[in-house]
Amino acid sequence: SMSTPAILVALRGEPNRKVATLTISDPENLNALTTEMQLQFIDIITTLEADDSVRGIIIRGAGEKAFSAGGSMDSLSEIQTPEDGEAMYRRGVKLRDTILNMKKPTIAAVSGWCIGGGFEIALSCDLIYASEDARFGMTEVDIGLVPGWGGAIRLPRRTNLIRAKEMLLLGTRLRADEAMQQGVINRVFPKAELFDEVDKIMDVIVRKPPLAVQGIKEIISLGALDTGFEDAREIEHRLSIRLMGSHDFREAVDAFRNKREPNFIGK
């Protein structure tokens, strides 16, 4: 049945120690995020961050096939002007930063496809656990873009330079076991057990003293950045907007939507 694309929220646990599970829900489209869903996501995270009774947040995708395939092609095809590109970029950055800057612990539970912006959302979480059939890819290069939500900045910090370059330049997909070996994700579970296992892990974290958990998050996120980070973000911003106005990006979207081979010309 066709359901309305949305971000769903479920709360569980004790009154002052709740865990919120966010489900990216548009399984027919591999949980790709429409413009509306991106805005909804930001609102929900902001609300949960302000709610002291919520101690931890789990992010997952609806259905069995995907965590998220990133920004939806429909939202990408809305980009007609530099202003549209700017709005799309800023929205994605706000989504990523809202997760990154949370004081509460966040876990991505990845089953199936985790691609582009979907992968970048997972990388914004503190921990990533995956099912055996999970596939991770930063495939923006295939449609003529650079990763716009921090992917090319964060991935090399998770693995190493040459592995990240290989993934980003080839648009390759990593299997769950490879992602674990390369330090991209924490652990792999059998598909049927993933969500239960993630619940158990989060239950351990939310029983810890919250101020210590917050402090550890803060120290790590500041300590893990080096001076090049701001410069990299400036370049990511500039290139994202410029490439959204390029021939090859429009060609990629049009080819995808009309199921034909794209013809890239480097303009």
Side-chain angles (χ1 to χ4, degrees):
S1 66
M2 294 292 286
S3 52
T4 313
I7 309 294
L8 311 174
V9 188
L11 291 170
R12 63 171 179 79
E14 297 155 41
N16 66 339
R17 207 158 58 191
K18 293 199 198 91
V19 172
T21 299
L22 265 64
T23 303
I24 304 168
S25 182
D26 189 8
E28 281 90 357
N29 297 301
L30 297 179
N31 301 320
L33 292 147
T34 62
T35 301
E36 199 46 50
M37 286 164 82
Q38 292 170 33
L39 293 168
Q40 214 188 347
F41 209 125
I42 293 164
D43 282 347
I44 291 167
I45 293 276
T46 306
T47 305
L48 292 171
E49 173 73 336
D51 183 343
D52 289 338
S53 71
V54 175
R55 293 278 179 89
I57 285 142
I58 295 168
I59 302 174
R60 58 167 291 182
E64 294 294 303
K65 289 209 183 79
F67 174 78
S68 173
S72 73
M73 274 296 170
D74 287 344
S75 74
L76 291 174
S77 66
E78 287 164 16
I79 300 167
Q80 300 303 325
T81 66
E83 290 73 29
D84 296 337
E86 182 70 43
M88 170 87 187
Y89 174 77
R90 288 199 179 281
R91 201 169 52 239
V93 167
K94 188 165 186 205
L95 172 50
R96 163 189 84 193
D97 285 349
T98 307
I99 301 168
L100 277 175
N101 297 332
M102 289 198 89
K103 294 185 166 73
K104 303 166 194 222
T106 53
I107 300 180
V110 176
S111 187
W113 292 106
C114 184
I115 301 290
F119 189 15
E120 289 170 292
I121 287 172
L123 287 172
S124 301
C125 294
D126 296 313
L127 304 167
I128 305 175
Y129 297 97
S131 62
E132 289 158 332
D133 69 335
R135 293 288 178 278
F136 298 87
M138 206 73 78
T139 56
E140 283 86 346
V141 68
D142 292 339
I143 59 165
L145 297 181
V146 293
W149 301 357
I153 302 175
R154 301 198 82 77
L155 194 60
R157 289 175 158 77
R158 284 270 175 142
T159 59
N160 62 47
L161 219 54
I162 59 169
R163 287 205 184 285
K165 271 190 185 173
E166 184 177 51
M167 260 191 96
L168 290 159
L169 292 172
L170 295 172
T172 44
R173 276 73 154 165
L174 285 187
R175 293 193 317 270
D177 58 331
E178 295 173 314
M180 187 172 75
Q181 283 154 12
Q182 295 181 23
V184 179
I185 67 175
N186 291 82
R187 255 189 287 170
V188 183
F189 293 109
K191 195 168 177 74
E193 294 165 29
L194 172 68
F195 299 119
D196 286 344
E197 292 291 342
V198 167
D199 280 342
K200 284 182 206 156
I201 291 164
M202 185 57 96
D203 287 343
V204 172
I205 298 173
V206 299
R207 286 192 167 77
K208 308 284 185 201
L211 294 178
V213 170
Q214 283 178 29
I216 288 163
K217 278 196 61 160
E218 206 175 336
I219 293 167
I220 292 175
S221 56
L222 288 172
L225 305 181
D226 59 44
T227 49
F229 196 79
E230 283 310 313
D231 295 338
R233 284 187 65 156
E234 274 310 300
I235 295 164
E236 176 195 78
H237 182 186
R238 196 172 69 237
L239 281 178
S240 288
I241 308 309
R242 201 173 86 207
L243 292 177
M244 283 180 202
S246 68
H247 165 279
D248 284 355
F249 165 67
R250 296 223 167 92
E251 170 67 6
V253 172
D254 189 69
F256 178 90
R257 300 183 91 198
N258 294 301
K259 298 183 169 50
R260 62 176 177 81
E261 272 300 301
N263 176 31
F264 299 129
I265 60 170
K267 287 194 167 52

